[in-house]
Amino acid sequence: MRRVNAILSMIILVLFLIHGVLGAFNLMGSNVTSKVLAWVMTGLIGLHAVIGVILTIQTLSAQKKAGVSYRKENRIFWARRISGYVIMILIFFHITAFTLSSTGTLPEFHLFRLLTQLLLVIAIAFHVLSNVKPMLIALGIKKLKPKAGDLLFWISLLLLVMAVGFVIYYLRWNAV
């Protein structure tokens, strides 16, 4: 199940990066839509979350059987899980911020929406960047250091582009 989740994670990551870059360009003024991509990705994220919950339950069960939880050693494990759940909450705010109203217009993009979108980018950054090494290991990729470093750099750069897109959109919306 972990390997399936790793493959699913890689697919979600690729779709997310495409969605994020297209979305950033859209927020900066171009007319690119990625609605179908976004909904496919949302479904895959839901599946990823279900698998994550199952794996977490299995981990907790194993800890209970062993009688020890190694809290200090498992902080990164819990940080990854918590960031995933935070992302699920923030995705709700993302969907509501960019869903057309019944009149066919986007809702007002005020400061709260900007902050929730920036928090989403931060949570995704932490979640993805802290899971790159385990994902590469699960996929059987050898020589992690050069590949993980390159992946971390490009993902960080694209996340920055997405954050800038939200800020520019906020400034454009509030300049009108």
Side-chain angles (χ1 to χ4, degrees), residues 24-37:
F25 286 129
N26 199 17
L27 294 176
M28 291 184 225
S30 71
N31 192 12
V32 182
T33 59
S34 60
K35 187 183 276 189
V36 172
L37 175 73

Side-chain angles (χ1 to χ4, degrees), residues 5-161:
N5 203 31
I7 293 168
L8 186 61
S9 298
M10 184 58 78
I11 294 167
I12 291 168
L13 180 60
V14 169
L15 293 176
F16 164 73
L17 293 174
I18 293 168
H19 171 74
V21 170
L22 291 177
F25 286 129
N26 199 17
L27 294 176
M28 291 184 225
S30 71
N31 192 12
V32 182
T33 59
S34 60
K35 187 183 276 189
V36 172
L37 175 73
W39 286 113
V40 167
M41 188 174 58
T42 302
L44 294 175
I45 290 169
L47 180 59
H48 177 65
V50 168
I51 293 171
V53 167
I54 292 168
L55 292 173
T56 301
I57 291 169
Q58 289 175 350
T59 300
L60 292 173
S61 176
Q63 287 177 351
K64 188 174 181 180
K65 284 180 185 175
V68 287
S69 63
Y70 301 107
R71 283 192 179 112
K72 188 175 182 180
E73 291 80 4
N74 286 324
R75 278 191 240 165
I76 191 71
F77 169 84
W78 287 109
R80 290 172 181 152
R81 293 306 191 264
I82 292 168
S83 67
Y85 298 126
V86 168
I87 290 168
M88 296 303 292
I89 294 166
L90 292 171
I91 284 174
F92 168 78
F93 290 106
H94 183 70
I95 291 170
T96 59
F98 296 105
T99 299
L100 296 177
S101 68
S102 59
T103 61
T105 60
L106 286 172
E108 179 183 355
F109 198 77
H110 45 70
L111 184 60
F112 177 75
R113 285 210 166 103
L114 173 63
L115 293 176
T116 60
Q117 300 317 296
L118 292 176
L119 284 174
L120 177 62
V121 170
I122 292 167
I124 290 172
F126 177 81
H127 190 72
V128 169
L129 299 177
S130 68
N131 280 296
V132 165
K133 260 178 94 171
M135 181 179 62
L136 293 175
I137 290 168
L139 293 172
I141 296 175
K142 301 188 189 306
K143 296 183 182 176
L144 292 176
K145 286 200 177 195
K147 289 181 176 54
D150 291 345
L151 199 56
L152 291 173
F153 171 77
W154 289 108
I155 290 171
S156 298
L157 184 66
L158 293 174
L159 287 165
L160 178 63
V161 168

